[in-house]
């Protein structure tokens, strides 16, 4: 049973599904922002942890056409690779979320690759936190390199990787930052587009 005052995932997801503008931030994270990863608030979101697959599915379905939610925090909820299939679907369909925090879950290479696939056509997410999980293998890194052939919006990716693809991945993030900076300044940015996006 959750402690008094904890967030009930189903209730918050249902509120967000209404898409009436009243919910812009979904915070279902189980980690305290004031403490380290090791200092998990006991039972702060035990409900989500008990039903990660169900709640990830509900989020993907309710936020598919949502236009109000911009921030989604799911850190420390024991989300696994299987749950990432729903995270992928969420990223493929939602066009309003700009920040996603998945820090401190149980995502490994397979799940991380699914997230990359979800971001391939995503044009809203700019910040993603994947710290304190993994390790992420080379096949996963290949998925991310493929994603950056079409994604030009992700500019802030927090993770720890040790890969031969590190340089290329950092270069893609730097390119995305330059594109967004030039767009904001009203300057020509199309010359920086990856080959697959050039007309």
């Amino acid at each position: 049973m959750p402690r008094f005052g904890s967030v009930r995932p189903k209730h918050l997801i249902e509120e967000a599904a209404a898409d009436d503008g009243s919910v812009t931030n979904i915070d279902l994270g189980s980690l305290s922002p004031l403490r380290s990863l090791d200092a998990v608030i006991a039972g702060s979101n035990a409900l989500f942890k008990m039903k990660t697959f169900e709640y990830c599915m509900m989020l993907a379905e309710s936020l598919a056409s949502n236009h109000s939610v911009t921030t989604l925090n799911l850190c420390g909820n024991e989300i696994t690779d299987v749950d990432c299939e729903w995270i992928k679907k969420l990223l493929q369909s939602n066009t309003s979320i700009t920040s996603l925090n998945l820090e401190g879950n149980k995502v490994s290479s397979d799940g991380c690759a699914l997230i990359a696939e979800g971001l391939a056509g995503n044009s809203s997410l700019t910040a993603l936190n994947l710290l304190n999980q993994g390790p992420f293998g080379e096949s996963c890194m290949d998925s991310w390199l493929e994603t950056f052939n079409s994604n030009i919006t992700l500019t802030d990716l927090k993770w720890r990787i040790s890969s031969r693809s590190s340089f290329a991945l950092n270069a893609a993030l730097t390119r995305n930052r330059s594109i967004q900076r030039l767009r904001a300044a009203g300057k020509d940015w199309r010359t920086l587009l990856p080959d697959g996006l050039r007309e």
Side-chain angles (χ1 to χ4, degrees), residues 18-157:
D19 198 17
D20 60 6
S22 63
V23 178
T24 58
N25 175 34
I26 296 181
D27 187 353
L28 293 168
S30 292
L31 303 178
S32 166
L34 302 176
R35 301 164 112 187
S36 68
L37 179 65
D38 297 327
V40 176
I41 301 174
S44 66
N45 221 326
L47 287 176
F48 198 102
K49 289 180 180 182
M50 287 189 291
K51 299 180 178 182
T52 58
F53 187 81
E54 178 182 335
Y55 286 128
C56 285
M57 178 182 69
M58 288 177 65
L59 280 167
E61 292 173 348
S62 67
L63 297 179
S65 57
N66 181 284
H67 299 95
S68 306
V69 174
T70 58
T71 304
L72 179 57
N73 179 10
L74 299 174
C75 68
N77 278 320
E78 299 181 11
I79 291 171
T80 66
D81 291 344
V82 174
D83 305 319
C84 286
E85 186 64 49
W86 289 110
I87 303 294
K88 171 186 172 181
K89 290 178 181 179
L90 169 65
L91 292 169
Q92 288 174 326
S93 58
N94 181 275
T95 58
S96 64
I97 296 173
T98 59
S99 177
L100 174 59
N101 186 351
L102 291 170
E103 180 180 1
N105 282 290
K106 295 184 176 180
V107 177
S108 65
S109 284
D110 291 343
C112 190
L114 287 169
I115 293 167
E117 291 170 18
L119 282 169
N122 183 287
S123 60
S124 62
L125 197 78
T126 60
L128 175 62
N129 187 340
L130 290 170
L131 286 170
N132 298 304
Q133 52 205 333
F136 305 133
E138 291 304 321
S139 64
C140 173
M141 296 299 101
D142 290 342
S143 295
W144 278 94
L145 288 171
E146 183 64 29
T147 289
F148 281 119
N149 285 331
S150 58
N151 182 295
I152 59 170
T153 53
L154 186 66
T155 56
D156 182 11
L157 178 56

Side-chain angles (χ1 to χ4, degrees), residues 1-8 41-46:
M1 183 169 177
R3 67 180 185 167
F4 178 77
S6 65
V7 177
R8 295 187 177 273
I41 301 174
S44 66
N45 221 326

